[in-house]
Amino acid sequence: MTTLENFYFGNINPSEYRQSGDTKKKLSEIAKLLDGLLSMLTTEHQKDKLEQIENCQLSLIALSEKDAYIEGFKLGVRMTTEIYADTQQWG
């Protein structure tokens, strides 16, 4: 099956990718720090604020990843277009 066919049939999901060991390590570190901070908070209001910050941060990360994916895809298409144009010019 071609890449386009796999993409069409849902076998390729660009938003799912393997995380590097460094990324996993940092995520674990952040989780431990947040758990430590959560245990220091004494009121439900404080805990709710921390949860709001976490949710906002996760949303921001998702938006940043989406933007980076789109920009990377556009760059790849521009590069492919330039390569194709060059081969047409010389061929």
Side-chain angles (χ1 to χ4, degrees), residues 9-85:
F9 287 113
N11 299 328
I12 297 174
N13 187 347
S15 65
E16 294 176 359
Y17 59 92
R18 289 185 215 110
Q19 295 174 334
S20 71
D22 290 340
T23 300
K24 288 179 183 178
K25 192 185 303 183
K26 281 296 176 188
L27 287 171
S28 177
E29 187 179 333
I30 288 171
K32 287 177 186 174
L33 289 168
L34 288 171
D35 286 344
L37 180 57
L38 183 62
S39 69
M40 292 192 291
L41 301 178
T42 56
T43 68
E44 284 304 311
H45 178 71
Q46 291 171 330
K47 293 176 183 182
D48 287 343
K49 286 295 180 188
L50 179 60
E51 185 177 337
Q52 289 174 8
I53 291 169
E54 286 179 272
N55 290 337
C56 186
Q57 183 181 22
L58 290 173
S59 294
L60 179 60
I61 290 168
L63 289 170
S64 295
E65 287 181 349
K66 176 190 64 95
D67 291 345
Y69 174 81
I70 290 170
E71 288 306 310
F73 192 87
K74 287 178 181 179
L75 177 60
V77 169
R78 284 194 299 267
M79 291 167 59
T80 302
T81 302
E82 286 180 20
I83 291 168
Y84 183 72

